[in-house]
Amino acid sequence: DPLRRVAVVGSGNWGSTIAKIVGTNITKFNTFENEIRMYVYEEMVDGRKLTDIINQEHENVKYLPGHKFPPNVVAYPDVIEAVKDADILLFILPHQFVERTCHAIKSHVKKTAFAVSFSKGFYVSKDKSVDLLSTVISRLLEIPCYVLMGANIASEVAAGKFCEATIGSRNYEHGQLVKGLIQTDEFRLVIKPDTEVIEVLGALKNIVAVAAGFSDGLGFGDNTKAAVIRLGLKEMVKFCEEFFPGHHPQIFLESCGVADLVTTCYGGRNRKVAAAFVKTGKDIKTLEEEMLNGQKLQGPDAAAEVQEWLKEKGQANKFPLFVAVHEICERRLEPKALIDALRHHPEFW
Ligand code: NAD
Ligand code: 13P
C-alpha cells in the first residue's frame, strides 16, 4: 500500500501548534509519509514570504513565534497543492475562511480522505441558514468530517504545558487514527461520539468569553466572571438541548465543555479584546487589528451567527447572554447592559 499523507489546512496560532505536534508524532508511524504539508495563507513578513521563512527557519515567526517545527512540516502557499494527495485533512482555519477554502479545493480532494475540523464558529449562508462547519466541510468535499475541541490556548500547548482535548467521532478507526497522530504525553485526548455538540460548545464558549471580557473591562470581579461563566454554560447546555437533542449530558464535563469555557474566559484572545473594547471605546475590528497581529477573533462573529440561528428558530428570548453580547458588539447596547442581561436571566424567574 502507498504511504498515507496528512495535510494541515491553516497555519495560524493553533494550526502551527497542531502541525508541530503531528510533524513530531508522524515519524513513529510506518504507514504515513513523514512530510506534513501545511497550507499557509501567503503574506510578506519583514520583506520575506512567510512560506520561505517557515521552510528555511522552521518557525512561523508571525503566528507562533518562539516554537520550531520539525523539518518535515513543509509550508505550501497553494492550498490545492497542500491537500491534493492527502488522506487526512486537518482543518485549522479561522472559521470565517472555512467555506471559501473548501470551495477552492473541492475537486482536488481524494474521495477516500477524511477531515477533522478544529475551527470554532458557525457558517451562515447567503439565505441566512446556519450550519456547522464540519457539515460545510463534509458537504463541499464529500468526505466525513470529525472535530477536535478543548481547553487549548495554543501557545501553552506548543510549549508542552499539560492539557487535554476532546475528539468527536462516531467512526472508531478514524477516531483512533486522529488520536494517535495528535496525542502526546502533555496533550491527552478523549474520543466521544457527540460530534455536533462538541463542535457547538467550541463555538458558543467564545461568545461567553466575550461576555467575560466585557465584565473584566467594566471593572467587575471574579464573582461576576463566575456568574458569566455559569449563566453562559447554562445557555450553552440549553442551546445543545434545544437544537441537538440525543447527546450524552456528561459531554459538558469534557474538555470541550466546561474546561474550554474556563480557559477562554481567563486566557483567551476574545476575552482580552472584549475587555479593551469596554476600556478604549474602539470597535472590535480595530482592536483585532491593533492587538492580535493578524490573529482572528471568533467570538463576535459567532455571536452574530447564533443571533441568526435564534431568529430563525424564534428562540432568542431564552438566550439573553448570547443576545446581549451580539448587541453590545454591534453597539446597539452599552457594555453595562450585559449585567442587566445577567440580573434578569430566566435562571432567576
Ligand atoms: P489565528 O487567528 O492565529 O491566525 C489567523 C490565520 O488566518 C493566519 O494563519 C492567517 O494567515 C490566516 N488568514 C488570514 N486571511 C486569510 C484568508 N483570507 N484565507 C485563509 N487564511 C487566512 O488562527 P488560529 O488561532 O490557528 O485559529 C484557527 C481556529 O482554531 C479558530 O477557529 C480558533 O477558534 C481555533 N482555535 C484556536 C486556538 C488558539 O489558542 N489559537 C485554540 C483552539 C482552537
Ligand atoms: P481565543 O480564540 O479566545 O484565544 O480562545 C482560544 C481557544 O479556543 C482555547 O481553547
Side-chain angles (χ1 to χ4, degrees):
D1 281 357
L3 295 178
R4 289 193 276 187
R5 276 191 169 275
V6 177
V8 178
V9 183
S11 51
N13 198 221
W14 190 220
S16 298
T17 299
I18 293 295
K20 176 186 181 222
I21 291 173
V22 179
T24 306
N25 273 353
I26 204 150
T27 56
K28 297 179 212 142
F29 289 80
N30 54 19
T31 49
F32 279 95
E33 285 285 353
N34 276 355
E35 186 194 61
I36 306 285
R37 294 185 178 166
M38 176 174 76
Y39 164 55
V40 175
Y41 180 77
E42 191 69 284
E43 65 185 286
M44 301 301 284
V45 177
D46 295 332
R48 294 168 68 197
K49 288 181 176 166
L50 183 55
T51 47
D52 287 343
I53 299 176
I54 292 173
N55 289 335
Q56 288 157 16
E57 269 131 63
H58 308 295
E59 182 175 336
N60 189 339
V61 295
K62 178 152 181 190
Y63 294 102
L64 190 65
H67 299 279
K68 291 285 181 197
F69 294 113
N72 56 325
V73 173
V74 181
Y76 280 71
D78 180 342
V79 66
I80 293 171
E81 284 301 311
V83 303
K84 70 175 187 207
D85 297 320
D87 301 283
I88 301 179
L89 286 81
L90 306 179
F91 263 85
I92 322 182
L93 293 162
H95 82 276
Q96 295 87 343
F97 308 130
V98 169
E99 192 252 4
R100 71 181 82 155
T101 305
C102 287
H103 271 293
I105 62 176
K106 68 179 175 194
S107 46
H108 303 275
V109 171
K110 276 189 179 178
K111 288 296 163 221
T112 51
F114 71 82
V116 184
S117 174
F118 296 66
S119 299
K120 293 174 176 175
F122 298 94
Y123 171 69
V124 182
S125 65
K126 287 191 189 70
D127 69 4
K128 302 285 186 201
S129 64
V130 187
D131 263 328
L132 300 184
L133 299 166
S134 62
T135 307
V136 172
I137 294 170
S138 194
R139 186 171 63 224
L140 290 175
L141 305 184
E142 298 177 41
I143 57 175
C145 183
Y146 313 104
V147 300
L148 187 149
M149 304 279 146
N152 304 137
I153 306 274
S155 56
E156 297 180 18
V157 184
K161 296 180 181 171
F162 181 86
C163 67
E164 47 169 1
T166 316
I167 294 169
S169 171
R170 290 190 276 272
N171 179 310
Y172 179 81
E173 189 206 330
H174 289 172
Q176 289 295 334
L177 211 47
V178 174
K179 181 168 175 170
L181 285 169
I182 299 176
Q183 182 162 266
T184 69
D185 285 349
E186 326 306 330
F187 187 30
R188 309 303 288 166
L189 300 176
V190 177
I191 305 173
K192 293 285 169 185
D194 306 298
T195 55
E196 296 81 4
V197 164
I198 292 167
E199 181 173 357
V200 166
L201 293 172
L204 295 179
K205 63 87 192 175
N206 282 335
I207 306 176
V208 185
V210 173
F214 291 156
S215 174
D216 287 349
L218 287 163
F220 288 90
D222 288 339
N223 297 339
T224 314
K225 191 137 94 181
V228 167
I229 291 173
R230 187 186 86 86
L231 295 168
L233 182 61
K234 282 277 188 170
E235 292 192 15
M236 290 164 62
V237 171
K238 177 130 203 99
F239 193 94
C240 294
E241 286 172 347
E242 289 278 341
F243 306 122
F244 298 91
H247 56 270
H248 301 89
Q250 294 294 321
I251 196 67
F252 303 110
L253 302 180
E254 297 295 324
S255 184
C256 60
V258 71
D260 196 7
L261 178 61
V262 169
T263 201
T264 316
C265 286
Y266 283 89
R269 299 166 293 191
N270 286 290
R271 186 218 68 87
K272 184 167 116 182
V273 172
F277 174 86
V278 176
K279 286 189 175 149
T280 65
K282 294 180 184 176
D283 63 41
I284 298 273
K285 272 280 156 246
T286 306
L287 291 166
E288 182 182 54
E289 277 162 28
E290 285 181 5
M291 298 175 72
L292 297 186
N293 190 32
Q295 295 186 32
K296 299 286 177 208
L297 286 178
Q298 307 290 277
D301 281 7
E305 291 145 16
V306 161
Q307 186 82 349
E308 288 300 334
W309 182 302
L310 295 175
K311 259 199 315 211
E312 184 187 307
K313 315 270 186 201
Q315 303 263 35
N317 59 331
K318 294 184 185 160
F319 302 90
L321 185 149
F322 293 165
V323 171
V325 166
H326 177 59
E327 294 300 305
I328 294 165
C329 288
E330 296 292 315
R331 294 198 185 286
R332 288 191 288 266
L333 286 176
E334 291 290 321
K336 63 179 181 345
L338 174 73
I339 307 301
D340 295 327
L342 304 180
R343 182 179 292 121
H344 301 298
H345 201 278
E347 273 292 292
F348 308 116
W349 295 354

